[in-house]
Amino acid sequence: MITKSIELFNRAQQSIPGGVNSPVRAFKSVGGTPIFIKRAKGAYLFDEDGNRYIDYINSWGPMILGHAYQPVVDAIREKAYDSTSFGTPTELEIEMAELIKSMVANVDLVRMVNSGTEACMSAIRLARGYTGRNKIIKFEGCYHGHADSFLVKAGSGVATLEIQQVPGVTTGVSNDTLTAPYNNIEAVKKLIHENKTQIAAIIIEPVAGNMGCIPPAPGFLESLRTICNEEKIIFILDEVMTGFRLSPGGAQARLNIEADLVTYGKIIGAGMPVGAFGGKKEIMQHIAPLGNVYQAGTLSGNPVALIAGFTLLQALKENPAIYTELEEKTSYLHNGLNAVLKEYGTDYTINRIGSMVSIHFSRHAVTDFTSAAAANNEIFKKFFHAMLQRGVYLPPSAFETWFISNALTIDDLNQTISAAEDAIKEMM
Ligand SMILES: *Cc1c(COP(=O)(O)O)cnc(C)c1O
């Protein structure tokens, strides 16, 4: 029974575009009514009708230790008594920057912002300001937020809604964004050759998570790194999703790759609106007020938001065993789903790295946007709803990775695997 969600969704549509404040929540590609959540604790979401769901969205990543993680809740409460914002420097901002630097190897200076979009948008402006070049290269199916420059062949909601060209983004801006297929180094070389000394930056998700989970092919990121060195192009790793998830040092540490600039969001705010971008001093010193590349924010470094992120990052730093546990749990889920799907003869591919995992209903390997988009969305839709009915909340799009939280128990994972078995049986 989702009576209240249906009522609320009808009401929401009277005053909010599409009833949602971000398109991926709308269930447009899977159909049906978005579930209105009232509260969450640990691994579970509870909706307005009182149903419980095992959560595989985890606010699209931030809740890596589960919902309403007590130290974060306590820290927020305590901080709020001292006022929610000052618009002046605070010591907490230094502590946050120092904590990030202690976890991420190649960050000398870091600037806090309010979202992943802002982080990526600012990193691109900085790369352009630093190099004096205009064009950027991004990859088909990668999502870097909703800034104009990134809405070309973007993943996540743009792919889910099958929007080919976003009205409102000028041709001038779009023309400065060049795209290549993920994992295709030859396509990148060709773009660089055709646009010699015009490319300011290459921006990439080091593990793609906005077209389902797609890990980089061996050597791909390394080749990009080499090309960027040769061509004096700024190499930006968008770690909004992978940062503090794939390891305490993110994808950079896990995959042993160094970016010139990195961007963060999601986990860095523990569910509060926080983002950050940082890198080598030589580049970062061009940001205002040190340099002339202007970037600002009335609420950037907000104390309540920062204390949430700071508390979560500190917990992750102090207890690296969390990452081993996450790895074991995700691998357990992966194996369980594999066994179930294999038995019922569905075409599928499961991609996984660390605690990012997704099922693509395709018999072919999924390595880029074209192969991700070739998967059977009708099967995904049915699977999504069959799982939801059984109390398992998956991201409502095949173009999204699942996010595993460490609050999940083996019992939760077993329930998920048997829900998948029942779901597949029902669908056959
Ligand atoms: C979510 C995401 C963003 C955008 O972050 P917002 O906080 O939604 O603006 C950017 N890059 C990647 C890789 C993301 O997953």
Side-chain angles (χ1 to χ4, degrees), residues 206-207 216 221-222 246-247 250-258 353:
V207 172
L221 296 175
E222 291 78 359
L246 292 182
S247 81
Q252 288 197 107
R254 183 173 175 127
L255 304 175
N256 192 23
I257 188 91
E258 279 213 359
I353 178 167

Side-chain angles (χ1 to χ4, degrees), residues 115-117 120 143-145 205 210 238 240-241 266:
S115 67
T117 296
C120 295
Y143 182 70
H144 306 292
E205 292 177 59
N210 285 292
D238 176 353
V240 170
M241 196 181 279
K266 302 197 166 111

Side-chain angles (χ1 to χ4, degrees), residues 353-422:
I353 178 167
S355 57
M356 290 167 67
V357 63
S358 64
I359 302 178
H360 300 263
F361 289 103
S362 166
R363 97 180 68 174
H364 304 290
V366 173
T367 56
D368 59 11
F369 185 70
T370 305
S371 46
N376 189 327
N377 197 46
E378 288 309 307
I379 296 186
F380 178 82
K381 263 190 211 178
K382 284 191 197 154
F383 184 70
F384 168 80
H385 281 293
M387 292 298 275
L388 193 65
Q389 269 168 22
R390 289 167 176 81
V392 179
Y393 207 129
L394 302 176
S397 162
F399 292 127
E400 303 287 355
T401 189
W402 306 6
F403 300 93
I404 306 305
S405 92
N406 207 33
L408 287 161
T409 61
I410 292 295
D411 195 42
D412 296 325
L413 299 173
N414 284 334
Q415 279 183 42
T416 306
I417 294 161
S418 63
E421 180 162 21
D422 291 349

Side-chain angles (χ1 to χ4, degrees), residues 22 60 114-120 142-147 150 156 203-210 238-242 263-266 272-275 400-401 403:
S22 192
W60 305 92
N114 305 290
S115 67
T117 296
E118 270 190 63
C120 295
C142 280
Y143 182 70
H144 306 292
H146 66 93
F150 303 127
S156 189
I203 183 166
I204 188 165
E205 292 177 59
V207 172
N210 285 292
D238 176 353
E239 293 235 41
V240 170
M241 196 181 279
T242 53
T263 61
Y264 295 104
K266 302 197 166 111
M272 298 292 259
V274 180
E400 303 287 355
T401 189
F403 300 93

